[in-house]
Amino acid sequence: MKLSISLSVAIILGFNNTFLSTCSAFTISDSIRHRHHATTVASSLSMTATSASTDAKSTSSSSCTKKLSILTFDLDDTLYPVSTVLDEANAAFARSMKQFGYDGILPEDIVLTGKKIREEMAETDPERSAALTHTEIRRLAIREEMEKIEYQRKLQSCADDWATQVSSLSPLVVQNAKKWASAAVSPSVVEGVLNAWEMERHHAAERHLYPDVMDMFEQIKSDHPHVVIGAVTDGKANPLFMTFTLAKHFNFCMNWEDDQAGRKKFFTDLSNVEKDADLRWIYSATREKGEELAKTGALLRGEEYPDPNVQYMWIHVGDDLALDVGGSATCGAKTILAELADKQYHQTARHRFDNLDDSGKLPEWSTTPQKELRRRQMMNRAAESLVDKRVAFISHIPEAINNILADD
């Protein structure tokens, strides 16, 4: 089976009804035999007014000044190494469990239990398993670890009361001990541990920002003082929570988990070979949020918006071909793929696709099933033609942005 991009163009009205922008579905399609270069499609995806004819559009574009209006970033493995950050968050999980009286928990337990939960759910409810968020998996894993300990404690207590061995307890006692464990775990305590994990995730991200990240943002703001900067992430990371580092540079954050319906549909479709997984839902919302802030900022400065002599540009930076490049490009963004130098940056997420035939080489933090990774690998190949610039170093991003703006 050969899979490729299916670009069914949908016209979406801009937020202020003053111009139209295109948003086309980045999907996998079984029906096309070859991947075509998307130059002609990409040229129609910029954030500019759509003319009635190709000639008119070409003339209009050549007379406009390009301006960086919206700049968005992925976070994990784009601005910091996700593997290191998750390792430290998992260590905080183990410490928090101990503080609540659940001893003997190892940092890796939350990952291993999360994988097991998802695999078991995939056998009974594949659709729900595919759509589980990272937060849901961790919440379920925390509860299961707590229930295991409560269960063992209750069995031992019953055995002590009966002056016998745990192995000698009757099936009825064992069954009731399981019910006890489920009821004994407090949802508030589960949330307390989860909150500790999420807090440490953000603290660790700040500690382990790539060394050139802050200088990069300073340079971008110097070059483009009025740019609106946002984040797009499929996890729980939020730069606005990183108050010592990234917060001052970001204006907004779009989290996939904030739109459960859109996220569920995408991952459900991704797990079904008969369907096309479409990312327009998150990137359309990203563009609209960015446009709203760009317009408001211009009006506050007393500027005309939109200026008919300006071609407003949106650029997205990320490390994932399918989710970052493919998703954003089909909603109007120019793209920068962060394929960072391994020695300096230690990216792990993108290398999962190099080791799909050897699960032992996949990063320990990843709970994504191999079936889903294989589908995404196909989307990666389809997205190659939508990459505008590649960078191996964070410090090269400002130059890549300026090169995109200078391109015809």
Side-chain angles (χ1 to χ4, degrees):
M1 181 185 297
K2 295 186 179 181
L3 307 177
S4 67
I5 301 174
S6 170
L7 292 169
S8 55
V9 178
I11 304 299
I12 299 180
L13 189 63
F15 71 91
N16 57 5
N17 293 325
T18 59
F19 63 92
L20 294 173
S21 56
T22 60
C23 189
S24 23
F26 175 74
T27 62
I28 303 174
S29 173
D30 298 351
S31 60
I32 305 177
R33 295 180 55 197
H34 302 285
R35 286 188 289 121
H36 297 282
H37 195 280
T39 302
T40 56
V41 175
S43 67
S44 69
L45 292 175
S46 61
M47 298 168 56
T48 58
T50 302
S51 302
S53 68
T54 303
D55 292 340
K57 178 178 178 179
S58 177
T59 302
S60 174
S61 296
S62 64
S63 63
C64 286
T65 300
K66 289 183 179 180
K67 179 180 180 180
L68 181 62
S69 179
I70 304 169
L71 177 64
T72 52
F73 287 85
D74 172 56
L75 298 174
D76 294 347
D77 264 6
T78 297
L79 301 181
Y80 50 79
V82 68
S83 180
T84 303
V85 168
L86 294 184
D87 283 347
E88 296 191 6
N90 293 340
F93 147 76
R95 291 194 299 270
S96 182
M97 290 284 281
K98 185 175 182 179
Q99 290 169 354
F100 282 108
Y102 295 97
D103 296 328
I105 297 293
L106 299 175
E108 60 267 26
D109 288 343
I110 190 173
V111 179
L112 297 175
T113 301
K115 289 180 180 179
K116 182 179 72 70
I117 289 171
R118 191 165 187 178
E119 289 169 359
E120 292 175 351
M121 189 179 295
E123 295 179 1
T124 58
D125 192 347
E127 185 171 308
R128 185 187 174 201
S129 173
L132 273 178
T133 68
H134 300 301
T135 301
E136 288 171 331
I137 292 173
R138 291 188 187 100
R139 182 179 287 112
L140 290 171
I142 290 168
R143 168 170 276 278
E144 182 161 317
E145 288 299 315
M146 289 180 176
E147 288 185 5
K148 286 179 187 176
I149 293 175
E150 293 284 0
Y151 171 62
Q152 292 298 330
R153 286 174 178 170
K154 180 52 66 176
L155 286 179
Q156 188 61 57
S157 175
C158 290
D160 292 344
D161 288 344
W162 289 91
T164 187
Q165 300 295 318
V166 169
S167 58
S168 300
L169 294 174
S170 69
L172 180 60
V173 172
V174 171
Q175 181 180 358
N176 285 329
K178 290 181 180 178
K179 292 180 180 178
W180 166 274
S182 178
V185 172
S186 166
S188 297
V189 174
V190 171
E191 291 304 311
V193 174
L194 182 60
N195 288 339
W197 186 96
E198 291 181 353
M199 287 178 63
E200 183 60 23
R201 186 198 208 287
H202 288 94
H203 294 328
E206 292 198 276
R207 289 193 298 270
H208 296 285
L209 278 182
Y210 292 137
D212 34 1
V213 163
M214 298 303 286
D215 288 342
M216 173 201 67
F217 279 112
E218 294 293 345
Q219 183 62 53
I220 289 171
K221 287 194 166 182
S222 175
D223 293 344
H224 312 280
H226 301 310
V227 64
V228 171
I229 300 178
V232 185
T233 175
D234 67 336
K236 287 291 286 184
N238 188 329
L240 301 179
F241 293 161
M242 302 179 196
T243 55
F244 297 105
T245 54
L246 295 182
K248 65 181 180 181
H249 292 302
F250 279 81
N251 303 110
F252 71 98
C253 178
M254 301 300 293
N255 190 308
W256 290 31
E257 294 191 15
D258 290 339
D259 183 352
Q260 292 289 354
R263 188 187 186 281
K264 179 178 180 180
K265 184 178 188 309
F266 171 75
F267 282 102
T268 301
D269 290 348
L270 188 62
S271 69
N272 188 338
V273 296
E274 301 299 327
K275 294 184 178 181
D276 286 334
D278 182 0
L279 276 167
R280 282 179 299 176
W281 57 279
I282 186 65
Y283 285 105
S284 293
T286 299
R287 185 192 59 214
E288 290 168 7
K289 183 68 172 180
E291 287 174 350
E292 179 183 8
L293 291 172
K295 175 188 177 182
T296 304
L299 295 178
L300 287 171
R301 295 189 299 272
E303 299 174 2
E304 179 183 5
Y305 191 92
D307 185 335
N309 298 313
V310 172
Q311 184 181 359
Y312 297 98
M313 304 293 293
W314 167 27
I315 296 177
H316 181 71
V317 184
D319 68 298
D320 193 295
L321 272 166
L323 305 189
D324 289 315
V325 172
S328 64
T330 51
C331 277
K334 295 294 184 179
T335 63
I336 298 175
L337 180 64
E339 279 187 338
L340 304 179
D342 288 330
K343 184 177 180 180
Q344 289 89 343
Y345 296 98
H346 309 293
Q347 289 179 315
T348 52
R350 66 185 178 88
H351 289 305
R352 289 177 295 174
F353 303 103
D354 301 330
N355 300 300
L356 288 182
D357 294 327
D358 187 353
S359 59
K361 292 184 178 180
L362 294 175
E364 294 181 359
W365 57 263
S366 178
T367 61
T368 306
Q370 283 196 329
K371 178 182 177 182
E372 180 181 316
L373 288 175
R374 291 187 187 280
R375 286 274 284 172
R376 282 176 54 181
Q377 186 179 49
M378 296 173 186
M379 295 178 74
N380 288 347
R381 293 169 185 156
E384 283 281 357
S385 61
L386 297 176
V387 176
D388 290 297
K389 300 293 178 183
R390 279 180 162 85
V391 295
F393 298 91
I394 293 292
S395 59
H396 292 177
I397 290 176
E399 181 182 2
I401 291 171
N402 293 334
N403 286 341
I404 288 175
L405 297 178
D407 288 344
D408 292 333

